[in-house]
């Protein structure tokens, strides 16, 4: 799980008898908590109520450039805390950035970290930052997770000010639904802080550190459902007010005034949405008090998600349009060029209006003369053309036909004909080498309801993992190709047509020659001139967003004509 920002928070017992208290540790560039002071490290964990181990093994002494499993190259240590370290690394096999948590195999929490990571990886929900690998190798245990460089932490968003009502509504809606799905699979977060929530460039919220963050720090809870629900309420409270809903400061946010208790967000800051303010109070533990309408508290993420769904939908604000500048009349006036007139303004000069062109007697005579000449010229030309045609018919000479530049006869030009595709295969040389090979036959079977689809990616540009992916069509032999029509499902897709006359497939897409390109749901790829090819590569370069939150390309039909 790409845990770029998970500032530590210690909370009181989960029973709800006392208000939660929080304290934030300093954050590194990755946002992960730094080492706690000696006093807090030896005290009881406020969330779990359990004693921390009196001594834990030191974090693994590794350096930048070290490789794990021969592929994960460590780049920068972003956290060294409580016997484990977190790194930004590079997966050299797939050429992408990843995050890595490292601890020694004899660490007392090594087994629970491995179990939590493997359970989280099985969830496979795109609303969570995914665990990619969990390995015990020699004297090391490490967890590899996604790294999302284009996402922004909620901590950074709140540093700029409170969220708009629509953004806060999206936050609580998406986070509560995601955590409800996780709890249905028996997974809890237990450290759901502003640093554990990311917002992508498309406005989707992603949660990182599911189960793993708590396992790394040995955090448990008697009431995990209540713990995560209260954490979502605290996130909503902070999003509405830019204040942490407890007396202690945390995550760069000021706490509430002391001895005042937990007050609703709309009493902390003017202009807060009333429904969202009540929702935050229903999710937080506040000595039995709930929202102003005395509605029942939400004790599980599923209850909170249903409460959000029951609210009237909060629409995004209308875009602000700047008015165009007022039209300014120029100072140019005929005959003055902006200079004041030398004559008094009260004197009115008569204006002589010249007659329209060719309205005089001489002009009318000239028009008639020109018209007569044109009529005579047209009659003479028609008579000469007719005489020439009649003479050629009498002499038996053939009438010439217009030929094209390549010497062909327009009358002999053959219409385009469909070309039979004899086979198709997936083409993913820049990835893992395979992209849904079992359904490639659907692109030329003539059935528009069947389709070939790509894997799911987290952005339209394949998660920045590769330049593209596609399908190769085999025409059986080298033939002249004049047009390739591609039908897509799911939204506008950017695609290129690449060709080759070789009898074998190129190993890389650069071995093909680009012939045409386009974007849409029905794209006609027509080269500037007909090309000779046996293999055609339909190369997808940008994918649409699917209903499941992933970006996928779907080809339902391809037709090739000469």
């Amino acid at each position: 799980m790409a845990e770029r920002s998970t500032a530590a928070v210690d909370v009181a017992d989960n029973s709800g008898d006392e208000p939660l208290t929080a304290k934030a540790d300093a954050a590194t560039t990755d946002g992960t908590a730094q080492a706690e002071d000696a006093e807090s490290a030896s005290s009881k964990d406020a969330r779990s109520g359990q004693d921390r181990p009196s001594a834990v093994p030191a974090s693994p002494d590794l350096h930048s450039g070290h490789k794990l499993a021969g592929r994960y190259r460590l780049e920068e240590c972003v956290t060294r805390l409580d016997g484990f370290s977190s790194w930004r690394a590079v997966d050299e096999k797939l050429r992408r950035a990843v995050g890595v948590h490292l601890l020694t195999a004899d660490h007392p929490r090594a087994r629970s970290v491995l179990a939590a990571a493997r359970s989280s990886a099985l969830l496979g929900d795109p609303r969570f930052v995914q665990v990619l690998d969990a390995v015990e190798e020699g004297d090391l245990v490490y967890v590899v997770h996604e790294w999302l460089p284009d996402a922004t932490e909620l901590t950074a968003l709140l540093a700029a000010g409170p969220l708009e009502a629509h953004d806060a509504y999206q936050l609580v809606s998406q986070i509560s639904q995601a955590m409800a799905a996780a709890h249905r699979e028996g997974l809890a977060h237990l450290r759901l802080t502003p640093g554990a929530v990311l917002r992508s460039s498309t406005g989707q919220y992603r949660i990182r550190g599911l189960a793993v963050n708590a396992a790394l720090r040995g955090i448990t809870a008697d009431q995990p459902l209540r713990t995560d629900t209260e954490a979502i309420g605290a996130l909503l409270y902070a999003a509405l007010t830019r204040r942490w809903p407890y007396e202690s400061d945390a995550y760069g946010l000021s706490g509430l005034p002391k001895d005042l208790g937990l007050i609703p967000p709309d009493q902390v800051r003017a202009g807060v949405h009333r429904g969202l303010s009540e929702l935050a109070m229903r999710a937080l533990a506040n000595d039995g008090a709930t929202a102003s309408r005395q509605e029942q508290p939400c004790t599980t993420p599923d209850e909170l998600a249903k409460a959000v769904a029951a609210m009237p939908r909060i629409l995004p604000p209308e875009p602000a349009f700047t008015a165009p500048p007022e039209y300014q009349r120029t100072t140019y006036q005929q005959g003055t060029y902006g200079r004041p007139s030398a004559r008094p303004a009260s004197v009115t000069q008569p204006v002589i209006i010249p007659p329209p062109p060719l309205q005089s007697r001489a002009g009318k005579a000239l028009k008639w003369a020109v018209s007569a000449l044109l009529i005579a010229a047209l009659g003479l030309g028609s008579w000469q053309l007719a005489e020439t045609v009649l003479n050629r018919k009498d002499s038996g000479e053939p009438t010439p036909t217009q030929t094209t530049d390549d010497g062909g006869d327009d009358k002999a030009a053959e219409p385009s004909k469909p070309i039979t595709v004899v086979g198709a295969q997936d083409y993913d040389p820049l990835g893992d080498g395979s992209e849904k090979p079992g359904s490639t036959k659907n692109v030329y079977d003539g059935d528009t309801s069947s389709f070939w689809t790509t894997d799911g990616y987290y952005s339209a540009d394949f998660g920045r993992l590769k330049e593209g992916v596609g399908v190769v069509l085999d025409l059986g032999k080298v033939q002249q190709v004049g047009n390739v029509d591609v039908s897509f499902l799911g939204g506008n897709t950017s695609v290129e047509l690449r060709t080759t006359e070789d009898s074998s497939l190129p190993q890389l897409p650069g071995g093909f020659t680009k012939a045409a390109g386009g974007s849409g749901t029905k794209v006609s790829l027509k080269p500037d001139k007909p090309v000779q090819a046996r293999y055609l590569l339909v190369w997808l370069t940008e994918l649409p967003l699917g209903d499941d939150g992933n970006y996928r390309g779907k080809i339902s039909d391809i037709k090739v004509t000469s």
Side-chain angles (χ1 to χ4, degrees), residues 66-147:
H66 182 86
K67 286 187 182 180
L68 300 172
R71 64 183 289 186
Y72 303 117
R73 185 180 74 247
L74 302 182
E75 292 285 317
E76 178 187 5
C77 183
V78 295
T79 301
R80 199 177 294 276
L81 171 70
D82 207 13
F84 72 90
S85 59
S86 297
W87 293 75
R88 176 177 59 82
V90 173
D91 183 350
E92 294 186 336
K93 183 176 180 181
L94 296 181
R95 295 182 292 177
R96 63 178 177 181
V98 294
V100 178
H101 297 306
L102 276 168
L103 63 165
T104 58
D106 59 349
H107 193 288
R109 295 193 288 273
R111 296 285 169 251
S112 60
V113 168
L114 280 175
R118 289 166 181 170
S119 298
S120 178
L122 292 176
L123 181 61
D125 192 320
R127 294 171 292 191
F128 294 91
V129 177
Q130 300 295 300
V131 169
L132 305 175
D133 209 349
V135 181
E136 180 177 3
E137 186 178 89
D139 58 350
L140 288 178
V141 168
Y142 57 89
V143 176
V144 183
H145 53 79
E146 285 183 296
W147 189 273

Side-chain angles (χ1 to χ4, degrees), residues 195-477:
V197 177
L198 307 174
R199 187 172 73 179
S200 69
S201 57
T202 60
Q204 293 177 311
Y205 288 93
R206 308 267 311 268
I207 303 172
R208 60 184 170 194
L210 179 66
V212 176
N213 282 3
L216 283 168
R217 294 161 177 83
I219 296 174
T220 59
D222 295 331
Q223 297 177 326
L225 286 167
R226 187 70 189 92
T227 300
D228 283 341
T229 307
E230 188 174 349
I232 300 173
L235 294 177
L236 177 58
Y237 196 104
L240 295 172
T241 64
R242 201 190 173 199
R243 300 287 292 267
W244 195 238
Y246 309 109
E247 293 184 355
S248 299
D249 299 345
Y251 317 112
L253 304 173
S254 301
L256 298 178
K258 298 185 182 299
D259 302 326
L260 189 60
L262 184 59
I263 58 178
D266 55 359
Q267 296 182 22
V268 176
R269 188 177 73 89
V272 171
H273 189 277
R274 180 71 176 276
L276 292 176
S277 175
E278 295 179 349
L279 197 66
M281 297 298 289
R282 293 177 64 186
L284 288 168
N286 49 70
D287 292 331
T290 58
S292 60
R293 291 184 296 179
Q294 297 299 315
E295 295 186 6
Q296 291 297 318
C298 300
T299 59
T300 68
D302 189 54
E303 291 179 359
L304 184 57
K306 292 178 180 178
V308 175
M311 289 178 54
R313 185 178 180 185
I314 301 177
L315 300 177
E318 293 291 336
F321 295 101
T322 56
E326 184 178 355
Y327 174 75
Q328 297 179 353
R329 185 180 299 276
T330 62
T331 58
Y332 167 77
Q333 298 293 333
Q334 185 174 2
T336 65
Y337 291 91
R339 295 188 297 273
S341 174
R343 299 178 183 271
S346 60
V347 178
T348 304
Q349 297 292 332
V351 179
I352 302 175
I353 302 175
L358 299 180
Q359 292 300 314
S360 62
R361 292 182 178 180
K364 292 181 179 180
L366 180 59
K367 285 197 300 183
W368 281 109
V370 171
S371 300
L373 288 175
L374 289 174
I375 293 172
L378 289 173
L380 180 61
S382 301
W383 175 76
Q384 289 179 343
L385 179 61
E387 185 179 15
T388 302
V389 173
L390 291 174
N391 289 340
R392 288 191 176 181
K393 286 185 177 180
D394 294 340
S395 62
E397 294 181 7
T399 302
T401 57
Q402 184 180 359
T403 58
T404 58
D405 293 339
D406 57 1
D409 194 334
D410 279 351
K411 296 180 179 180
E414 296 183 1
S416 60
K417 298 180 180 179
I419 297 176
T420 302
V421 177
V422 300
Q425 65 183 79
D426 59 310
Y427 192 73
D428 185 25
L430 304 181
D432 57 6
S434 176
E435 197 84 6
K436 307 295 186 185
S439 59
T440 54
K441 63 179 182 299
N442 294 335
V443 303
Y444 64 95
D445 62 358
D447 182 4
T448 57
S449 63
S450 63
F451 57 87
W452 168 81
T453 180
T454 69
D455 292 329
Y457 297 91
Y458 294 115
S459 65
D461 56 354
F462 303 89
R464 298 185 179 179
L465 303 178
K466 50 193 173 185
E467 298 175 0
V469 71
V471 174
V472 174
L473 306 178
D474 183 4
L475 306 183
K477 62 181 179 180

Side-chain angles (χ1 to χ4, degrees), residues 512-529:
F512 290 87
T513 301
K514 182 179 177 180
S519 178
T521 56
K522 293 185 181 297
V523 183
S524 180
L525 301 172
K526 184 176 181 62
D528 294 336
K529 57 182 180 179

Side-chain angles (χ1 to χ4, degrees), residues 528-539:
D528 294 336
K529 57 182 180 179
V531 297
Q532 298 288 330
R534 172 178 176 177
Y535 293 104
L536 306 179
L537 172 58
V538 178
W539 185 243

